[in-house]
Amino acid sequence: TTRTPSFLGLDQNAAMFPESETASEVIVGVLDTGVWPESPSFDDTGLGPVPSSWKGECEVGTNFTKSHCNRKLIGARYFARGYEATLGPIDETKESRSPRDDDGHGTHTSSTAAGSVVAGANLFGYAAGTARGMAPRARVAVYKVCWLGGCFSSDILAALDKAIDDNVNVLSLSLGGGMSDYYRDSVAIGAFAAMEKGILVSCSAGNAGPSAYSLSNVAPWLTTVGAGTLDRDFPAFVSLGNGKNFSGVSLYRGDSLPGKLLPFVYAGNATNVTNGNLCMTDTLIPEKVKGKIVLCDRGVNPRVQKGSVVKAAGGLGMVLTNTAANGEELVADAHLLPATAVGQTTGEAMKKYLFSDPNPTATILFEGTKVGIEPSPVVAAFSSRGPNSITPEILKPDLIAPGVNILASWSGAVGPTGLAEDSRRVGFNIISGTSMSCPHVSGLAALLKAAHPDWSPAAIRSALMTTAYTAYKNGKLLQDVSTGKPSTPFDHGAGHVDPVSALNPGLVYDLNVDDYLNFLCALNYTSAQINNLARRNFSCDARKTYSVNDLNYPSFAVSLPAKMGTTASSGGGTGSTVVKHARTVTNAGPPGTYKVSVSSSSDSVKISVEPGTLTFSQTNEKKSYTVTFSATPMPPNTNEFGRIEWSDGKYVVGSPVAISWT
Amino acid sequence: AVEEKRTYIVHMAKSEMPARFEEHTYWYESSLKSVSESAEMLYTYNNVVHGFSTRLTPEEAREMETRPGILLVLPELRYQLH
């Protein structure tokens, strides 16, 4: 990626990160659509021999030989038996029966996590710069599990099984599905085994935001990553015939529009079908579109396909407007015709003009790349949100990382839009999703693993979470683009990742397999369900009291029964509910005395911590504390938030608090 | 009516493997053959679960669940890229 290393402070603090030998011992496994091995992001110049721990392979198949692997791309496997069993043999004229990436997504994610340094990267001149993965010295192993027809759980499990055998250190999964209980979810099941072997598993939170309860991959042994923006934009302005100008974003490069205002039409008025406003295939009437700029509504079909539909109907340009589902979030695309995306408010203003002027006109001006956009980051509207629908007492997502308009390597088999009619080929593409934020965290976890080889996956996640930030440098709170208001821990988890601070977190919240087994007991899992998930006979001790609240997680989620018969506007009731959470912190730094500070968004919740001071005389020393949440009953769907911070004056160890009444 | 086959992931309790089996894979195969002569394993899993994936009819899957040592017969799920 060309901007995130600087946005995350990695470029400015390169000397703080591990020397090349340690860093190149770490192996990042990526389960995705495969890899385009010819990408310069997988150049192995300067890398030493493959780590001796590596047991993996470079599998041979369609257009893929052993020589496609090297000292950077050290492993490449593919898993298609489940896919083929359901959908029949792979059509090798359409996709490669090999680790080769015909889609681009896998090449993008794996190069984001651990791609080599590539000078002169750009997409049609946009986002130009030196691209690199978050852990540019780490090795990459790809496991192709996603095909044209989807990613099948039997293949995903097989890939996770092999990745564990192969000895990867970090696993990156930018995929998800449904909201199954942990013992029925193949990603959660496979990740449990990986966690036991010391492998950190980073997963995307999903793109179902901004709705609440929209998260996937919420098991507490996973690191769940939401998405935020960068300080970079690709502005493209729309000038209307009434003299008004509106800003949008675009990655279009090609023939310009004629240097004059063109007829402007709303797609909904250039169609005979009820959903013609969406610019779906074969829904526009060419006579009403030809030679015009068309305003299309976002939704249902892919954004870039709408541009293709307008072009096929003879349109010269497109303005793509968000609806309420997306608000003001702008996602840039490399459209096949001059086109720009605009926010909902702008779109409504344009529609007002279109419906009131008998001869509406418009043109689009493309401005290229702009950096230094503020505020940034903001939480992406599409980023899935909490509360956690499986275990409300575990706050998810864990954190956010860059996931909007990310430039990274691309497959040579497909154009930047992914459309069949897009014959352009690019070395890099700019796309958005929690798929893009997840490998950022995977790569950063690889950096931490190199710096602290003895840290457990939970300790690495803790360092990333407790050092994440929730406010801009000017002190204002991180914003949610879907509301324009401050985001909450249900949106950003612990906050935005800050890898430089994560290197030295001060204290960590560690977890081992026994802790997770006790957590399963707290969920009242049967022995059979635990066996499904953890592959062992484990009986919960009937004499022991298990509590989900005591899982040593670096964040706090308190789920309380709502006061029935009330609404959010009618207020709460009297009589407090008291909930206690136990935590143990491990000193990862020098001796020191940490003092706690607590903040809460509401007087209806009291948070107290006992003891309020923790003194550590040596590294790895553990100290425990208890948090007491005292809350008055509130109407259903009320949420309040807070923060608990431990600091010795140098290190700040922060934990978000989310309290919800359901 | 012929029931259509679909993919299932069969979770097994390894500790319940009868002593007559030297290898767990033989036990898996024996369990599978007891409900379907024609079914073949897609994968056997060693690290992530004790078990295998295979194609079964719903009836065979229900029968499989009643076999000794079977923890769960989980239908295949399709995941999406994010």
Side-chain angles (χ1 to χ4, degrees), chain A residues 286-334:
Chain A
E287 300 81 61
K288 293 191 175 181
V289 165
K290 194 174 179 189
K292 296 179 182 175
I293 293 175
V294 182
L295 180 75
C296 301
D297 285 324
R298 188 169 165 189
V300 185
N301 59 331
R303 300 181 302 274
V304 289
Q305 191 186 66
K306 294 170 191 282
S308 180
V309 168
V310 171
K311 190 178 183 186
L316 288 185
M318 178 182 71
V319 178
L320 177 59
T321 177
N322 283 353
T323 60
N326 316 104
E328 300 307 309
E329 176 169 79
L330 299 179
V331 180
D333 293 300

Side-chain angles (χ1 to χ4, degrees), chain A residues 72-85:
Chain A
K72 180 67 181 178
L73 179 64
I74 62 172
R77 297 184 186 271
Y78 65 101
F79 300 84
R81 287 183 212 165
Y83 177 60
E84 291 187 312

Side-chain angles (χ1 to χ4, degrees), chain A residues 1 4 8 32 105 108-109 112-113 134 172-175 202-207 223-230 378-380 382-384 397 399-408 431-445 464 491 495-497, chain B residues 82:
Chain A
T1 74
T4 51
L8 297 173
D32 212 297
H105 191 278
H108 201 279
T109 54
T112 298
M134 297 303 100
S172 190
L173 281 78
S174 289
L175 50 84
S202 166
C203 290
S204 47
N207 301 335
T223 300
T224 311
V225 189
T229 63
L230 288 174
V378 295
V379 179
F382 62 74
S383 188
S384 288
L399 75 173
I400 60 168
V404 180
N405 295 334
I406 303 301
L407 178 138
I431 53 173
S432 301
T434 53
S435 272
M436 283 65 246
S437 56
C438 165
H440 276 90
V441 167
S442 312
L444 297 174
L464 292 166
D491 310 320
H496 193 277
V497 69
Chain B
H82 283 154

Side-chain angles (χ1 to χ4, degrees), chain A residues 396-591:
Chain A
K396 292 278 180 173
D398 290 316
L399 75 173
I400 60 168
V404 180
N405 295 334
I406 303 301
L407 178 138
S409 297
W410 198 243
S411 165
V414 65
T417 62
L419 297 172
E421 59 267 36
D422 188 353
S423 58
R424 301 170 297 178
R425 294 294 178 263
V426 294
F428 293 85
N429 197 10
I430 297 172
I431 53 173
S432 301
T434 53
S435 272
M436 283 65 246
S437 56
C438 165
H440 276 90
V441 167
S442 312
L444 297 174
L447 286 183
L448 291 195
K449 182 71 183 171
H452 304 283
D454 55 329
W455 279 10
S456 70
I460 292 172
R461 176 179 58 191
S462 172
L464 292 166
M465 287 174 65
T466 61
T467 57
Y469 62 91
T470 55
Y472 302 109
K473 284 181 182 144
N474 63 10
K476 290 190 174 169
L477 297 173
L478 291 193
Q479 276 186 27
D480 177 356
V481 77
S482 74
T483 61
K485 294 176 181 168
S487 58
T488 74
F490 284 143
D491 310 320
H492 61 234
H496 193 277
V497 69
D498 177 1
V500 177
S501 298
L503 269 180
N504 296 296
L507 308 174
V508 293
Y509 294 82
D510 207 356
L511 284 161
N512 59 31
V513 178
D514 290 339
D515 296 316
Y516 291 118
L517 291 171
N518 290 338
F519 165 80
L520 298 177
C521 289
L523 295 182
N524 293 318
Y525 267 38
T526 64
S527 294
Q529 288 166 340
I530 293 176
N531 204 339
N532 277 332
L533 190 55
R535 311 162 324 282
R536 72 196 68 200
N537 284 323
F538 183 86
S539 297
C540 302
D541 188 341
R543 294 161 301 177
K544 203 169 159 185
T545 305
Y546 297 96
S547 172
V548 177
N549 297 339
D550 293 342
L551 184 73
N552 200 34
Y553 217 71
S555 57
F556 297 86
V558 184
S559 181
L560 299 171
K563 184 176 171 59
M564 301 315 290
T566 59
T567 63
S569 57
S570 66
T574 55
S576 290
T577 305
V578 175
V579 177
K580 290 181 185 292
H581 287 228
R583 293 291 188 274
T584 299
V585 280
T586 305
N587 184 25

Side-chain angles (χ1 to χ4, degrees), chain A residues 33 64 108 123 129 146 168 172 179 194 210 249 268 282 286 303 329 345 387 436 478 487 516 548 626 655:
Chain A
T33 61
F64 208 97
H108 201 279
L123 171 66
C146 293
V168 303
S172 190
M179 293 178 186
V249 298
D282 296 329
R303 300 181 302 274
E329 176 169 79
T345 311
M436 283 65 246
L478 291 193
S487 58
Y516 291 118
V548 177
T626 303
S655 292

Side-chain angles (χ1 to χ4, degrees), chain A residues 167-212:
Chain A
N167 272 335
V168 303
N169 302 109
V170 174
L171 275 166
S172 190
L173 281 78
S174 289
L175 50 84
M179 293 178 186
S180 310
D181 214 330
Y182 308 131
Y183 72 95
R184 303 180 72 90
D185 177 354
S186 293
V187 169
I189 291 167
F192 194 98
M195 170 274 296
E196 280 188 87
K197 302 277 184 180
I199 300 165
L200 182 138
V201 185
S202 166
C203 290
S204 47
N207 301 335
S211 307

Side-chain angles (χ1 to χ4, degrees), chain B residues 9-26:
Chain B
I9 296 159
V10 181
H11 294 239
M12 303 192 63
K14 204 170 177 182
S15 60
E16 292 179 32
M17 182 172 80
R20 66 177 183 277
F21 293 104
E22 282 181 25
E23 281 270 340
H24 62 279
T25 50
Y26 299 151

Side-chain angles (χ1 to χ4, degrees), chain A residues 264-281:
Chain A
F264 191 27
V265 64
Y266 178 50
N269 292 338
T271 180
N272 285 326
V273 301
T274 49
N275 60 356
N277 59 315
L278 297 172
C279 295
M280 294 171 73
T281 305

